[in-house]
């Protein structure tokens, strides 16, 4: 037996093609002779369609067809609830709503003709603030829904009101996070055509072959087998490709016209039309005793879901579940509200509600520590989840609770790096505000340095009773020895390296060289359903399915079956919806844990925050590929840094103010600090070789760690995200005024 | 993202360039580094019928010390400026500002003359030229004339260059003895246009008081802004926090047309103008030579 492949930093097989430009992304699939699609967008937040005139567009040279709502067999789609029209016929609910689809011989003709589609609108009052949308009399985004409340998730444990009344200390806080744009390198694009058997084939990028197929088949009123979804190389996803964006329109046009069709969005289309991370407002009260025990959390959270349901109901459940962070609190009273508005819809984004919730909870824990005069690390150690802790939903946590180990490793790393000048390590009894005054008087040094820490928790895999499973097939060919292993698993490699990981797992189980394993992963008719590339789940779920299928195939092989073949559907331990009366339940089968420390410099005159160093500790169970794990940490931190400080997606009255990268600022390599990844391998009870998911965790603690570091440096708390220089400066001035 | 059709002519000399400009009048635009003009053309915000490319005119790329002056050819790349020993010897300000222009890849193409002629109020070099009392040499078919930087910047993307004129050279007088200079700016992100930037020159008299000061800002109005009220306020004062604060107050009072946009409000830019003024003056005063 050769050296284990598990843990080896094997090079990505797709790396060379990607850096040389040889790799074909969806936009590269467009061939001469294909018809081109151009979408006519609403361009207004809320209106009734009075008349829609397509004759002039149809008459434009090169135009083949103009489709409207009447042309769509089943005109509704959505990941959970089919509440979004494919093409709007009566009402438009956000600026990126689609009203017509122009098909032409060239992209230029399609674009010119799209401008000739005349839509007469009667504007309706728009509601663009989540809390205002819940007021009586607010304009309804979906008239038939009765209210703008998309989903309400209550969580009750113990008696929070009584516990707050008896607590030695109660702190209140209000936190706001903004939209975040996925900003993947590759804007939406793809092609569609009918194959020789008359099936609709859509080749594009996405996060779940079989879910895309389901929604497309439903729209066309076809059996799912009549639709094939294939993925080309995927240029990033981060949750933004979970919802259909243009795949269904490709399918519609190809099906109707029986000709190959193509589409490629520009950046502005991508930024306006695809769904974002939810902005969330959280109001909370935390109660603690003098000895540091946190006794109660009461919180309300409002998530702006925008015009359509997407995954808002699931996201708000995560916000509610993580409102008390990764702390065992005996008394919890949380209400999460996902709300319809006429803003760009919100959906999945790496972290899925956990970053928003824990911006509040981690900030509150550090604030409690300072108010109690207890070291924030110590306060965390008193309250952090441990094995057997009872979740907010009144059941014990799934096994493998390692957040304490993450925090310990983080503190050890701080000590190793001799980051000693850390006020937060000592209770701040003397007000740091005094420091601020002396320093504003001294113009020579407006720069203050601070350190902040935060912990993080995020569920791995699907939650709250959603069926969680993944299927893989392994076929072994050869004579005396296995010459070729074929792994079929419909798992999307969105850039995170899942195909490499799954191949390493298969090769290791089978005991064959890596090169003998062939992966079939990107065709819904060739690879079985492994579920979505989301919720940090593919290594544990698809990985476990591949692991178990390889083991079963190997047994067949050992029984001298040629070829040997096995299909395994791995099912995760069951979860349940929350009980309507008691809110009790088993929300998740696994969690990932992390702890981070950041060192920042704050310019107290400009409000500029410079992150100097990030220590990011993750329990990954077992790193299947060490380099890929570290890559996920580094990439996730870049996204987290942007989210915390820079990325400010802005809308006014339902209109997008930041439709490009000159207005929506992303951090570049020059803005990234030194990153120190620390990888713990404490073993997951279910994951293959003990591996556990980690891809979302870097995004969870960073913003509150930075907020704590800003406080450590200046005495000012920033509770609005992104923490732009103007907001930081405003917080500094407020502290000055209070003294 | 493609430009409207245009005719392209590569000029081999200044003479050829100015005669092409004379021929095509306001239909022509000069192509230098292209870092501002080409994006504008691609977005079709600029639609020149003729592009006169002066990149082949190698004689316009130089940085030379000349009888105490610094002479900079209009086609000098910003990357060349920041490394030129004559520029390094001239002033910290010049080098610091050049390094703030975009990213290295941009500076490898962008030119000193192009930035000045384009007259973007966010361009660092425009403020530098005001603070250093630059003279611009403008060449046309009819001959040449020299215009002071103070008379050059007229409005947003507007200069006093006449139709048919080509900016060929920039002349910077030597700083007086016992002077120091600095350029500081603040951008939301490394390499982006600044929310505010300040160029400062401080000259001390024999008795240690401020004999002369020059202050110019970028990104806080429709043009680069020289703030003479602040300069007057500084004269005769002792260098130090008090003086810098009074200059900052004068600068903030002079910044009346700061833009408000997605990256920063007008009031924040005005605030930054004051903060950066103090920082630039303190830095300049620490560099006396």
């Amino acid at each position: 037996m050769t050296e284990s492949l598990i843990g080896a930093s094997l090079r990505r097989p797709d790396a060379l093609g990607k850096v040389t430009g040889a790799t074909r992304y969806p936009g590269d699939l467009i061939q001469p002779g294909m018809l081109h699609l151009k979408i006519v967008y609403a361009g207004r937040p809320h209106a009734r369609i009075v008349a829609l005139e397509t004759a002039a567009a149809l008459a434009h040279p090169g135009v083949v067809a103009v489709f409207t709502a009447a042309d769509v067999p089943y005109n509704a789609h959505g990941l959970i609830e089919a509440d979004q029209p494919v093409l709007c016929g009566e009402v438009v609910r956000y600026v990126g709503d689609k009203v017509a689809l122009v098909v032409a011989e060239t992209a230029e003709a399609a674009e010119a003709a799209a401008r000739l589609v005349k839509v007469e609108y009667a504007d309706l009052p728009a509601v663009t603030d989540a809390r205002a949308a819940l007021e009586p009399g607010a304009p309804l985004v979906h008239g038939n829904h009765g209210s703008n409340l998309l989903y309400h998730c209550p969580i009750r444990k113990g008696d929070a009101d009584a516990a707050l009344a008896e607590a030695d200390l109660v702190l209140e806080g209000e936190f706001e996070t903004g939209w975040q744009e996925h900003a993947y390198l590759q804007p939406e694009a793809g092609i569609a055509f009918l194959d020789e058997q008359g099936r609709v084939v859509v080749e594009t990028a996405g996060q779940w072959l079989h879910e895309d197929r389901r929604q497309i088949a439903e729209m066309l009123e076809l059996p799912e087998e009549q639709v094939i979804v294939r993925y080309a190389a995927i240029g990033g996803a981060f949750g933004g490709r979970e919802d259909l964006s243009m795949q269904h329109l490709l399918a519609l046009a190809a099906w109707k016209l029986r000709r190959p069709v193509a589409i490629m969005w520009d950046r502005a289309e991508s930024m306006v039309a695809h769904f974002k991370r939810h902005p969330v407002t959280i109001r909370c009260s935390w109660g603690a005793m003098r000895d540091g025990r946190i006794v109660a959390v009461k919180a309300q959270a409002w998530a702006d879901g925008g015009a359509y349901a997407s995954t808002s109901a699931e996201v708000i459940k995560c916000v509610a579940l993580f409102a008390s962070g990764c702390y065992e609190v005996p008394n919890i009273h949380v209400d999460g509200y996902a709300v319809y508005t006429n803003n760009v819809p919100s959906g999945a984004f790496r972290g899925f509600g956990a970053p928003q919730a824990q911006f509040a909870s981690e900030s509150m824990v550090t604030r409690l520590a300072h108010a109690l005069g207890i070291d924030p690390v110590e306060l965390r150690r008193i309250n952090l989840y441990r094995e057997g802790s009872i979740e907010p939903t009144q059941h014990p946590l799934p096994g493998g609770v390692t957040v304490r180990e993450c925090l310990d490793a983080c503190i050890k790393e701080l000590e190793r790096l001799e980051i000693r000048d850390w006020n937060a390590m000592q209770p701040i009894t003397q007000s740091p505000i005094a420091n601020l005054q002396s320093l504003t008087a001294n113009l020579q040094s407006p720069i203050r340095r601070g350190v902040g820490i935060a912990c993080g928790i995020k569920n791995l895999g699907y939650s709250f009773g959603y069926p969680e499973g993944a299927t893989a097939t392994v076929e072994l060919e050869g004579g005396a020895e296995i010459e070729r292993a074929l792994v079929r698993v419909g798992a999307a490699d969105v850039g995170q390296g899942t195909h490499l990981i799954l191949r390493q797992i298969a090769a290791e189980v089978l005991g064959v060289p890596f090169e003998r394993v062939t992966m079939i992963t990107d065709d819904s008719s060739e690879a079985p359903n492994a579920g979505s590339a989301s919720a940090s789940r593919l290594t544990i779920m698809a990985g476990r399915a591949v692991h178990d299928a390889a083991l079963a195939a190997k047994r067949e092989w050992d029984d001298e079956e040629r070829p040997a073949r096995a299909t395994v559907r791995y099912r995760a331990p069951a979860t349940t919806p929350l009980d309507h009366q008691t809110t009790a339940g088993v929300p998740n089968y696994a969690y990932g844990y992390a702890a981070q420390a950041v060192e920042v410099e704050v310019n107290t005159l400009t409000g500029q925050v410079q992150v100097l160093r990030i220590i990011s500790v993750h329990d990954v169970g077992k790193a299947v590929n060490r380099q890929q794990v570290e890559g996920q940490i580094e990439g996730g931190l870049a996204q987290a840094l942007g989210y915390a400080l820079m990325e400010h997606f802005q809308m006014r009255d339902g209109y997008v103010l930041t439709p490009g990268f000159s207005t929506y600022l992303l951090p570049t390599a020059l803005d990234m600090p030194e990153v120190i990844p620390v990888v713990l391998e404490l073993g997951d009870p279910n994951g293959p070789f003990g591996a556990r998911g980690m891809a979302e965790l870097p995004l969870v603690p960073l913003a509150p760690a930075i907020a704590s570091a800003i406080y450590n440096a200046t005495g000012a708390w920033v509770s609005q995200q992104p923490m732009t220089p103007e907001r930081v400066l405003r917080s500094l001035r407020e502290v000055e005024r209070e003294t | 993202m493609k430009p409207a059709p245009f005719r392209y002519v590569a000029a081999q000399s200044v003479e050829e360039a100015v005669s092409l400009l004379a021929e095509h009048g306001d239909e022509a635009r000069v192509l230098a580094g292209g870092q501002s003009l080409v994006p504008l053309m691609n977005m079709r915000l600029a639609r020149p019928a003729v592009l006169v490319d002066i990149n082949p005119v190698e004689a316009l790329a130089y940085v030379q010390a000349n009888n105490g002056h610094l002479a900079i050819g209009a086609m000098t790349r910003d990357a060349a400026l920041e490394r030129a020993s004559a520029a390094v010897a001239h002033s910290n300000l010049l080098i610091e500002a050049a390094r703030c222009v975009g990213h290295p890849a941009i500076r490898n193409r962008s030119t000193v003359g192009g930035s000045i002629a384009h007259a973007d109020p966010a361009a660092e070099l425009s403020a530098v030229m005001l603070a250093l009392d630059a003279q611009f040499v403008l060449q046309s078919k009819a001959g040449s004339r020299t215009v002071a930087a103070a008379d050059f910047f007229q409005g947003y993307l507007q200069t006093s260059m006449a139709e048919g004129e080509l900016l060929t050279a920039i002349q910077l007088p030597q700083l007086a003895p016992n002077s120091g200079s600095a350029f500081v700016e603040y951008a939301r992100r490394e390499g982006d246009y600044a929310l505010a930037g300040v160029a400062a020159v401080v000259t001390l008299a024999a008795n240690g008081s401020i004999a002369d000061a020059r202050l110019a800002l970028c990104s806080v109005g429709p043009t680069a802004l020289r703030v003479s009220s602040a300069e007057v306020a500084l004269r005769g004062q002792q260098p130090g926090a008090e003086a810098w604060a009074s200059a900052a107050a004068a600068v903030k009072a002079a910044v009346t047309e700061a833009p408000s946009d997605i990256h920063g409000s007008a009031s924040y830019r005005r605030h930054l103008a004051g903060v950066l003024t103090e920082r630039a003056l303190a830095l300049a005063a620490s560099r006396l030579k």
Side-chain angles (χ1 to χ4, degrees), chain A residues 226-534:
Chain A
Q226 279 290 102
V227 177
I228 296 175
V229 177
R230 290 184 194 138
Y231 290 159
I234 302 164
F238 313 114
R241 297 192 206 274
E242 280 190 33
D243 294 280
L244 293 183
S245 51
M246 43 80 231
Q247 299 91 331
H248 49 326
L249 298 176
L250 281 169
L252 176 73
W255 178 248
K256 288 267 173 189
L257 299 169
R258 316 195 85 74
R259 286 183 61 183
V261 296
I263 194 168
M264 183 145 63
W265 277 6
D266 63 24
R267 182 60 65 182
E269 281 182 287
S270 174
M271 289 186 74
V272 172
H274 89 243
F275 300 2
K276 305 284 175 274
R277 184 193 295 286
H278 290 76
V280 177
T281 301
I282 295 178
R283 261 196 217 151
C284 55
S285 305
W286 286 59
M289 306 310 283
R290 253 177 226 105
D291 62 7
R293 283 177 298 122
I294 299 169
V295 292
V297 172
K298 195 168 179 185
Q300 286 174 292
W302 296 267
D304 185 340
Y308 296 105
S310 179
T311 46
S312 284
E314 300 306 307
V315 169
I316 197 65
K317 288 179 200 169
C318 286
V319 171
L321 183 66
F322 297 129
S324 47
C326 41
Y327 303 94
E328 186 170 15
V329 180
N331 302 288
I332 292 175
H333 184 114
V334 175
D335 287 288
Y337 304 97
V339 184
Y340 281 123
T341 68
N342 294 110
N343 289 323
V344 172
S346 303
F349 196 136
R350 198 177 195 173
F352 208 70
Q356 295 99 313
Q358 290 172 73
F359 179 54
S361 61
E362 286 298 306
S363 296
M364 289 304 289
V365 169
T366 301
R367 285 178 56 186
L368 280 179
H370 291 310
L372 289 166
I374 297 175
D375 178 334
V377 174
E378 189 47 40
L379 189 79
R380 282 179 167 78
R381 285 186 176 134
I382 294 169
N383 294 286
L384 274 174
Y385 278 152
R386 59 187 83 226
E387 214 65 63
S389 283
I390 304 301
E391 279 196 83
T393 57
Q394 308 167 31
H395 275 264
L397 285 165
V401 181
T402 54
V403 65
R404 286 164 183 274
E405 287 82 350
C406 290
L407 179 61
D408 290 347
C410 191
I411 300 307
K412 221 167 109 186
E413 194 62 19
L414 277 171
E415 287 165 359
R416 188 185 71 79
L417 294 168
E418 300 186 347
I419 302 180
R420 289 203 194 94
D421 185 21
W422 182 11
N423 308 340
M425 289 297 287
Q426 289 99 41
I428 298 181
T429 43
Q430 197 187 354
S431 168
I433 293 155
N435 295 338
L436 184 73
Q437 280 178 327
S438 64
L439 99 99
T440 44
N442 176 9
L443 281 171
Q444 300 305 312
S445 60
I447 309 287
R448 297 283 290 149
R449 190 173 282 213
V451 180
I453 54 152
C455 297
I457 181 172
K458 168 70 181 57
N459 61 293
L460 311 175
Y462 305 143
S463 308
F464 299 103
Y466 191 90
E468 174 60 303
T471 306
T473 297
V474 173
E475 296 161 21
L476 305 176
E477 298 164 7
E481 62 174 49
I482 299 170
E483 283 157 20
R484 188 165 93 117
L486 202 61
V487 177
R488 295 175 185 272
V489 56
D493 195 324
V494 292
Q496 85 282 43
T498 202
H499 292 168
L500 170 60
I501 301 304
L502 298 175
R503 200 169 153 191
Q504 279 181 250
I505 290 170
E508 178 74 12
V509 173
L510 296 167
V512 301
F514 179 76
E515 295 71 28
R516 288 195 197 166
V517 179
T518 301
M519 305 294 295
I520 295 179
T521 48
D522 296 312
D523 184 322
S524 65
S525 66
E526 295 286 332
N529 188 352
S532 59
S534 67

Side-chain angles (χ1 to χ4, degrees), chain A residues 54 57-58 63-68 71 100-103 113 117:
Chain A
T54 61
L58 265 170
V63 171
V64 175
V66 179
F67 297 120
T68 61
D71 299 300
L101 180 65
V102 177
V103 191
V117 173

Side-chain angles (χ1 to χ4, degrees), chain A residues 443 603 605-606 662 666 726, chain B residues 189 263 265 268 271 278-279:
Chain A
L443 281 171
N603 185 318
L605 298 178
T606 63
S662 59
L666 297 162
E726 288 196 73
Chain B
R189 183 172 60 172
H263 301 304
S265 64
Y268 184 57
H271 168 77
E278 293 183 59
R279 202 189 291 172

Side-chain angles (χ1 to χ4, degrees), chain A residues 443-444 603 605-608 645-646 650 657-658 661-668 670-671 724-726 729 733, chain B residues 103-104 186-192 195 241 244-245 261-265 267-268 271-272 275-276 278-279 282:
Chain A
L443 281 171
Q444 300 305 312
N603 185 318
L605 298 178
T606 63
Q608 183 186 16
L645 296 176
M646 207 179 271
Q650 296 177 61
L657 304 179
T658 51
F661 292 151
S662 59
T663 44
Y664 184 81
L665 300 186
L666 297 162
T668 72
L670 295 173
D671 303 291
T724 61
E726 288 196 73
L729 199 59
R733 294 292 170 264
Chain B
H103 298 279
Y186 176 46
R188 285 287 313 276
R189 183 172 60 172
E190 189 77 37
D192 281 3
L195 293 177
W244 313 148
D261 64 21
I262 211 100
H263 301 304
S265 64
S267 69
Y268 184 57
H271 168 77
L272 284 178
V275 169
L276 296 173
E278 293 183 59
R279 202 189 291 172

Side-chain angles (χ1 to χ4, degrees), chain B residues 61-82:
Chain B
Y62 56 86
V63 182
Q64 286 164 2
N66 248 341
N67 300 328
H69 284 58
L70 185 72
I72 304 170
M75 273 303 295
T76 303
R77 310 281 172 191
D78 289 320
L81 177 68
E82 76 182 84

